[in-house]
Amino acid sequence: MLDLATSVQFVKGVGPRVSEVLAAKGINTVDDLLHYLPFRYEDRLNPRGIAELRPGEMATVIAEVRTSGLFRTRRMPIFQMTAGQGRARLKCMWFNGAYLKDRFKPGQMVALYGKVDVDRKGEMQIVQPQFEILGEATEEGSTDTTEQKLANSLEVGRIVPIYESAGQGKLTSRWFRRIIRATLDNLVPEIPDPIPGSVRNRVGLIAPRQALAEVHWPDPGESLQNLQSSRTPAHLRLIFEELFFLELGLELKRRQQKAHTGISFRLNDAVRAAIKKILPFHPTAAQKRVLKEIASDMEKPFPMRRLLQGDVGSGKTIVAFEAAIIAIENGYQVALMAPTEILAQQHYFSARRILEPTGYRIVLLTGSLEQDRKREIRRHIAQGNAHLVIGTHALIEEKVEFAKLGVVIVDEQHRFGVMQRFKLMKKSAEGTEETVSGDLRPWSPDSIPGNGQPTTALAAPASNYPQKVEAPEPDVLVMTATPIPRTLALTLYGDLDISMLDEMPPGRTPIVTRRVPDERSPEVWDFVRKQLVAGHQAYIVYPVIEESEENELKAAIKMFRLLRERVFQSHHVGLLHGRLDPAEKDRVMAEFQKREIDVLVSTTVIEVGVDVPNATVMVVEHAERFGLAQLHQLRGRIGRGAAKSYCILMTGGKVSEEGERRLDAMVRTNDGFQIAELDLELRGPGEFFGTRQAGIPSFRVANLIRDRDILELAKREAAAVVAGPTQETSQEEITRALRYMRQRWRNTYGLVEVG
Ligand code: ADP
Ligand code: MG
């Protein structure tokens, strides 16, 4: 008898060599093997008669091999095979099919699958069909008739599962069929269900054993359409289970974070007055709502773990600063971490500008500072003299000690996934462990060092009864600049509460986006010139994605010279790229901001953070080379003022099909969420975040794009379970589910501890 935990090596037909191939596919146990699902099913219960085939349909045909042969044409060898049913014939051909030369023998039964069409003579054919040889007509020593073989075959007379082959085709679909069938035949009869009965009933889940059997060998009555779209009861059960235990871990994590001691920030009049002082405009309804969510988290005695999502330009910065004000007015320090140095600098400039009326001490901690200066800044931070510390992730995480850290704002830009964040938070939790003296009373407004006062909290005398207390954990606000499709947010950020800034500040006219081929660049430059004459500014962006790409950078610099000397002679043209030293970059940016530069020629370094409302045109050269999210981010630099803005996507040369879809999407919509959804579809979750290390959990059976609905369901049910026992769900069931979840997380996600 095989158990789910049994190593796949002990399955009959799997030796050490084969198990190595399987391991490369992530198949180590019987459980893994049974979760290797067919990617497609063929209806060989009701295969189509050749006579009834219609051009254009996808069909499975079972027929007998009649003739076959290789034809050489001038361009390539074509292999042809004719299969027949009685008098009906079906032609099949494979381009470059020399490898098929000795495959077929007259009299064999074959299953063929593919798209039906008609050849020039009007005969039915399938080009490049997938095929499987069902019965050898004359095997040595065999006295079985073909009919007998077919009768007890796994390959016909039923709905047949089709698997992806493995080991460079050595382990075929047919091989998997047999091995999985044998495994199911020898599997223990009862598999305990780790999902609580109440959840099972509400969702309508079938038992695990039955699901595993039916997903591979569907009942003859099962709908082929449901099978192909992974929506049979068996699929639902397996997909739900996988997502449920992911969400259960995330929900538990969320709960546990709330069980920790946090800081109860107070929202008194001083805080309100400080916030009012900095607001240069009326906040949008969305900004108000989001700030309320954040403030209410901050008031609570447990740590905030919140994600602030909002499209470029939706006004996240001011919300983040408002959160910072709450903390600082309560006598705490704030850390703002950015993914890159240039972005950290941008935040620093905005903070200086926006927070000026408050008199807070704001410091910028970047890698390019001199050692002495860094040390000095660190000392200020440790002594509590700095209220708002802005820097890159790496720098702040490294070895900075805060006197009294209240809020961490992480400007994430998608560099972290959920798994990385767990590790990170664990680390920062370790870092904050300290013996707390009894005195955590808030600063009074006049103790704010901006007014020249030392921080009372730091100067507080040691408690008379020192004791080890759990240090309150700082609040964490994670900001993402690119909208994330909800399904991804639920998995990547499932441990966080989510706030959405889904409304743009008023007075924006939608950006007009056009696609223009390279040849028409003179018209484009004319158009840009008109905007400049009208008093606006422009960006011209070149695809130097990595600043290390020497040739691309050279091309951009060359274009800069050309534009300056030949195209925009009567305007000021500036150049910005990642190889400039930081001071130079800042200077260029500042000049652009002050309108001393009219046209900014740039690489993608302007992608983030830059805010110049007077810039109304962006020309992106070789737009086909950019990713969709990146184009959207770039475009977010314009359309920030009252005047109408234009984004011109220039393309040179041939554009791939996927490139076309990206450009289409850009022209069609300004909605970041729509763009994100499409981007996810085009690239898949793994690539969506640009790196393989994105920390997106990998799934055996679930698919984030296809299974959004099931994910939502799983999340709801997981939350219900974590909430505790009810009449329908006993404590034992919950304990069992959590134990199973932990084991599963350990197996799937390695080191990450949950619970
Ligand atoms: P992002 O979400 O991309 O960080 P910003 O915070 O940079 O967006 O805001 C974009 C622009 O909109 C800035 O110029 C900012 O000053 C402005 N802005 C933000 N909120 C409002 C508002 N409620 N009314 C008017 N302008 C606003
Ligand atoms: Mg709090």
Side-chain angles (χ1 to χ4, degrees), residues 278 287 290-291 294 298 304 308 315-328 334-336 347 354-355 388 407-411 477-479 501:
I278 66 144
Q287 282 170 322
V290 162
L291 180 66
I294 293 171
M298 290 181 71
M304 165 167 78
L308 173 56
K316 291 182 293 294
T317 314
I318 204 86
V319 174
F321 288 158
E322 285 170 337
I325 289 174
I326 297 176
I328 296 171
V334 176
L336 171 53
H347 279 314
I354 296 173
L355 295 175
L388 174 57
V407 175
V408 179
I409 302 170
V410 186
D411 194 353
L477 179 67
V478 180
M479 302 198 289
L501 269 183

Short mmCIF file of all heavy atoms in Angstrom, two decimals, residues 278 287 290-291 294 298 304 308 315-328 334-336 347 354-355 388 407-411 477-479 501:
data_model
loop_
_atom_site.label_atom_id
_atom_site.label_comp_id
_atom_site.label_asym_id
_atom_site.label_seq_id
_atom_site.Cartn_x
_atom_site.Cartn_y
_atom_site.Cartn_z
N ILE A 278 0.49 71.08 7.04
CA ILE A 278 1.26 70.68 5.86
C ILE A 278 0.40 70.49 4.62
O ILE A 278 0.91 70.40 3.52
CB ILE A 278 2.05 69.39 6.09
CG1 ILE A 278 1.10 68.21 6.29
CG2 ILE A 278 3.02 69.52 7.24
CD1 ILE A 278 1.62 66.94 5.69
N GLN A 287 -8.04 59.59 -0.24
CA GLN A 287 -6.96 59.89 0.69
C GLN A 287 -7.49 59.98 2.12
O GLN A 287 -6.85 59.49 3.05
CB GLN A 287 -6.27 61.21 0.29
CG GLN A 287 -5.30 61.04 -0.87
CD GLN A 287 -4.82 62.38 -1.41
OE1 GLN A 287 -5.57 63.35 -1.48
NE2 GLN A 287 -3.55 62.44 -1.79
N VAL A 290 -8.26 56.42 3.36
CA VAL A 290 -7.04 55.65 3.60
C VAL A 290 -6.32 56.14 4.85
O VAL A 290 -5.85 55.35 5.67
CB VAL A 290 -6.14 55.74 2.35
CG1 VAL A 290 -4.72 55.35 2.68
CG2 VAL A 290 -6.70 54.87 1.24
N LEU A 291 -6.28 57.46 5.03
CA LEU A 291 -5.62 57.98 6.22
C LEU A 291 -6.37 57.53 7.47
O LEU A 291 -5.76 57.20 8.48
CB LEU A 291 -5.54 59.51 6.19
CG LEU A 291 -4.85 60.05 7.45
CD1 LEU A 291 -3.39 59.63 7.47
CD2 LEU A 291 -4.96 61.56 7.54
N ILE A 294 -5.36 54.06 8.24
CA ILE A 294 -4.01 54.01 8.80
C ILE A 294 -4.01 54.53 10.25
O ILE A 294 -3.46 53.91 11.15
CB ILE A 294 -3.04 54.85 7.94
CG1 ILE A 294 -2.86 54.17 6.58
CG2 ILE A 294 -1.69 55.00 8.63
CD1 ILE A 294 -2.10 55.01 5.57
N MET A 298 -2.99 52.78 13.75
CA MET A 298 -1.91 53.30 14.59
C MET A 298 -2.37 53.52 16.03
O MET A 298 -1.59 53.40 16.97
CB MET A 298 -1.36 54.60 14.00
CG MET A 298 -0.58 54.37 12.71
SD MET A 298 0.10 55.88 12.00
CE MET A 298 1.40 56.28 13.17
N MET A 304 0.66 47.84 13.36
CA MET A 304 0.02 47.95 12.04
C MET A 304 0.85 47.19 11.01
O MET A 304 2.07 47.25 11.01
CB MET A 304 -0.06 49.42 11.65
CG MET A 304 -0.36 49.65 10.16
SD MET A 304 -0.81 51.35 9.79
CE MET A 304 0.78 52.15 9.80
N LEU A 308 -0.38 50.06 1.38
CA LEU A 308 -1.05 51.18 0.72
C LEU A 308 -0.83 51.05 -0.77
O LEU A 308 0.28 51.18 -1.26
CB LEU A 308 -0.47 52.50 1.25
CG LEU A 308 -0.94 53.78 0.55
CD1 LEU A 308 -2.45 53.89 0.57
CD2 LEU A 308 -0.32 54.99 1.21
N GLY A 315 -1.37 60.09 -5.12
CA GLY A 315 -1.16 60.91 -3.92
C GLY A 315 -0.81 60.11 -2.67
O GLY A 315 -1.31 60.39 -1.59
N LYS A 316 0.06 59.13 -2.83
CA LYS A 316 0.46 58.32 -1.68
C LYS A 316 1.40 59.08 -0.75
O LYS A 316 1.37 58.89 0.46
CB LYS A 316 1.17 57.04 -2.15
CG LYS A 316 0.26 56.06 -2.84
CD LYS A 316 1.00 54.81 -3.24
CE LYS A 316 2.05 55.03 -4.31
NZ LYS A 316 1.50 55.41 -5.62
N THR A 317 2.23 59.93 -1.36
CA THR A 317 3.26 60.58 -0.57
C THR A 317 2.68 61.31 0.63
O THR A 317 3.14 61.16 1.75
CB THR A 317 4.02 61.59 -1.46
OG1 THR A 317 4.33 60.95 -2.68
CG2 THR A 317 5.29 62.04 -0.80
N ILE A 318 1.66 62.09 0.35
CA ILE A 318 1.11 62.91 1.42
C ILE A 318 0.51 62.03 2.52
O ILE A 318 0.61 62.33 3.71
CB ILE A 318 0.08 63.92 0.84
CG1 ILE A 318 -0.05 65.12 1.76
CG2 ILE A 318 -1.25 63.29 0.61
CD1 ILE A 318 0.97 66.17 1.49
N VAL A 319 -0.08 60.92 2.12
CA VAL A 319 -0.65 59.99 3.10
C VAL A 319 0.46 59.41 3.99
O VAL A 319 0.33 59.34 5.21
CB VAL A 319 -1.42 58.85 2.39
CG1 VAL A 319 -1.88 57.81 3.39
CG2 VAL A 319 -2.60 59.41 1.62
N ALA A 320 1.56 59.06 3.35
CA ALA A 320 2.68 58.51 4.12
C ALA A 320 3.20 59.54 5.10
O ALA A 320 3.50 59.23 6.26
CB ALA A 320 3.79 58.07 3.17
N PHE A 321 3.30 60.78 4.66
CA PHE A 321 3.81 61.82 5.55
C PHE A 321 2.84 62.08 6.70
O PHE A 321 3.25 62.42 7.81
CB PHE A 321 4.10 63.11 4.77
CG PHE A 321 5.32 62.98 3.89
CD1 PHE A 321 5.50 63.82 2.80
CD2 PHE A 321 6.30 62.02 4.15
CE1 PHE A 321 6.62 63.70 1.98
CE2 PHE A 321 7.42 61.90 3.34
CZ PHE A 321 7.58 62.74 2.25
N GLU A 322 1.57 61.95 6.42
CA GLU A 322 0.60 62.13 7.51
C GLU A 322 0.79 61.06 8.58
O GLU A 322 0.74 61.34 9.77
CB GLU A 322 -0.83 62.09 6.95
CG GLU A 322 -1.20 63.38 6.22
CD GLU A 322 -2.51 63.29 5.45
OE1 GLU A 322 -2.93 62.17 5.09
OE2 GLU A 322 -3.12 64.34 5.21
N ALA A 323 1.04 59.84 8.13
CA ALA A 323 1.31 58.78 9.10
C ALA A 323 2.57 59.10 9.90
O ALA A 323 2.64 58.89 11.11
CB ALA A 323 1.47 57.44 8.38
N ALA A 324 3.56 59.65 9.20
CA ALA A 324 4.80 60.02 9.87
C ALA A 324 4.54 61.09 10.94
O ALA A 324 5.08 61.03 12.04
CB ALA A 324 5.82 60.52 8.85
N ILE A 325 3.68 62.04 10.60
CA ILE A 325 3.38 63.11 11.55
C ILE A 325 2.75 62.54 12.83
O ILE A 325 3.12 62.92 13.94
CB ILE A 325 2.43 64.15 10.91
CG1 ILE A 325 3.20 64.95 9.85
CG2 ILE A 325 1.85 65.08 11.96
CD1 ILE A 325 2.34 65.91 9.05
N ILE A 326 1.85 61.61 12.65
CA ILE A 326 1.20 61.01 13.83
C ILE A 326 2.27 60.42 14.75
O ILE A 326 2.26 60.64 15.96
CB ILE A 326 0.20 59.91 13.41
CG1 ILE A 326 -0.93 60.52 12.58
CG2 ILE A 326 -0.36 59.20 14.65
CD1 ILE A 326 -1.91 59.49 12.03
N ALA A 327 3.20 59.70 14.16
CA ALA A 327 4.23 59.06 14.97
C ALA A 327 5.14 60.09 15.62
O ALA A 327 5.42 60.01 16.82
CB ALA A 327 5.04 58.09 14.12
N ILE A 328 5.58 61.05 14.85
CA ILE A 328 6.55 62.02 15.38
C ILE A 328 5.92 62.88 16.47
O ILE A 328 6.52 63.13 17.51
CB ILE A 328 7.13 62.88 14.23
CG1 ILE A 328 7.91 61.99 13.26
CG2 ILE A 328 8.05 63.96 14.79
CD1 ILE A 328 8.34 62.68 11.97
N VAL A 334 10.51 57.89 12.67
CA VAL A 334 9.95 57.23 11.50
C VAL A 334 11.07 56.90 10.52
O VAL A 334 11.97 57.71 10.30
CB VAL A 334 8.92 58.15 10.80
CG1 VAL A 334 8.40 57.52 9.52
CG2 VAL A 334 7.77 58.48 11.74
N ALA A 335 11.03 55.69 9.97
CA ALA A 335 11.99 55.31 8.93
C ALA A 335 11.24 55.18 7.61
O ALA A 335 10.18 54.56 7.56
CB ALA A 335 12.66 54.00 9.28
N LEU A 336 11.77 55.80 6.58
CA LEU A 336 11.17 55.67 5.25
C LEU A 336 12.19 55.01 4.34
O LEU A 336 13.26 55.57 4.08
CB LEU A 336 10.75 57.05 4.73
CG LEU A 336 10.29 57.17 3.28
CD1 LEU A 336 9.17 56.18 2.96
CD2 LEU A 336 9.81 58.58 2.99
N HIS A 347 12.33 61.25 -2.12
CA HIS A 347 11.50 61.30 -0.92
C HIS A 347 12.04 62.36 0.04
O HIS A 347 11.28 63.06 0.68
CB HIS A 347 11.50 59.94 -0.23
CG HIS A 347 10.56 58.95 -0.84
ND1 HIS A 347 9.26 59.27 -1.17
CD2 HIS A 347 10.70 57.65 -1.17
CE1 HIS A 347 8.66 58.20 -1.68
NE2 HIS A 347 9.52 57.22 -1.70
N ILE A 354 7.52 69.39 2.00
CA ILE A 354 6.17 69.27 2.54
C ILE A 354 6.16 69.41 4.07
O ILE A 354 5.26 70.01 4.65
CB ILE A 354 5.54 67.92 2.11
CG1 ILE A 354 5.37 67.90 0.59
CG2 ILE A 354 4.18 67.71 2.79
CD1 ILE A 354 4.92 66.58 0.02
N LEU A 355 7.16 68.86 4.71
CA LEU A 355 7.15 68.86 6.17
C LEU A 355 7.82 70.09 6.78
O LEU A 355 7.96 70.17 7.99
CB LEU A 355 7.80 67.58 6.70
CG LEU A 355 7.05 66.28 6.36
CD1 LEU A 355 7.83 65.07 6.83
CD2 LEU A 355 5.65 66.26 6.97
N LEU A 388 12.72 61.90 11.16
CA LEU A 388 12.37 61.12 9.97
C LEU A 388 13.67 60.73 9.28
O LEU A 388 14.46 61.59 8.90
CB LEU A 388 11.48 61.97 9.03
CG LEU A 388 11.13 61.38 7.68
CD1 LEU A 388 10.44 60.02 7.83
CD2 LEU A 388 10.22 62.32 6.90
N VAL A 407 7.30 54.07 13.40
CA VAL A 407 6.68 53.62 12.14
C VAL A 407 7.76 53.37 11.09
O VAL A 407 8.70 54.15 10.97
CB VAL A 407 5.69 54.68 11.59
CG1 VAL A 407 5.15 54.26 10.23
CG2 VAL A 407 4.53 54.89 12.54
N VAL A 408 7.61 52.29 10.38
CA VAL A 408 8.48 52.02 9.24
C VAL A 408 7.62 52.12 7.99
O VAL A 408 6.60 51.44 7.88
CB VAL A 408 9.10 50.61 9.31
CG1 VAL A 408 9.98 50.35 8.09
CG2 VAL A 408 9.90 50.46 10.60
N ILE A 409 8.02 52.97 7.09
CA ILE A 409 7.30 53.08 5.82
C ILE A 409 8.19 52.48 4.75
O ILE A 409 9.33 52.91 4.57
CB ILE A 409 6.96 54.54 5.48
CG1 ILE A 409 6.11 55.15 6.62
CG2 ILE A 409 6.23 54.64 4.16
CD1 ILE A 409 5.93 56.65 6.52
N VAL A 410 7.69 51.46 4.10
CA VAL A 410 8.49 50.77 3.09
C VAL A 410 7.93 51.10 1.72
O VAL A 410 6.80 50.75 1.41
CB VAL A 410 8.45 49.24 3.28
CG1 VAL A 410 9.39 48.54 2.31
CG2 VAL A 410 8.77 48.86 4.71
N ASP A 411 8.71 51.82 0.92
CA ASP A 411 8.27 52.08 -0.44
C ASP A 411 8.75 50.91 -1.26
O ASP A 411 9.94 50.79 -1.54
CB ASP A 411 8.87 53.40 -0.93
CG ASP A 411 8.18 53.87 -2.18
OD1 ASP A 411 7.35 53.12 -2.72
OD2 ASP A 411 8.47 54.98 -2.63
N LEU A 477 4.05 50.36 7.32
CA LEU A 477 3.19 50.73 6.20
C LEU A 477 3.97 50.45 4.92
O LEU A 477 5.03 51.02 4.70
CB LEU A 477 2.83 52.22 6.28
CG LEU A 477 1.96 52.76 5.16
CD1 LEU A 477 0.57 52.14 5.20
CD2 LEU A 477 1.85 54.29 5.24
N VAL A 478 3.46 49.55 4.12
CA VAL A 478 4.13 49.21 2.87
C VAL A 478 3.42 49.93 1.73
O VAL A 478 2.19 49.86 1.63
CB VAL A 478 4.08 47.68 2.61
CG1 VAL A 478 4.77 47.33 1.31
CG2 VAL A 478 4.71 46.93 3.77
N MET A 479 4.17 50.64 0.91
CA MET A 479 3.53 51.34 -0.22
C MET A 479 3.98 50.69 -1.54
O MET A 479 5.15 50.41 -1.71
CB MET A 479 3.97 52.80 -0.26
CG MET A 479 3.65 53.57 0.99
SD MET A 479 3.71 55.34 0.65
CE MET A 479 5.45 55.61 0.44
N LEU A 501 -5.83 53.49 -2.72
CA LEU A 501 -6.08 54.85 -3.18
C LEU A 501 -6.58 54.73 -4.61
O LEU A 501 -5.82 54.69 -5.56
CB LEU A 501 -4.77 55.66 -3.18
CG LEU A 501 -4.42 56.44 -1.93
CD1 LEU A 501 -3.14 57.22 -2.15
CD2 LEU A 501 -5.54 57.38 -1.53
#
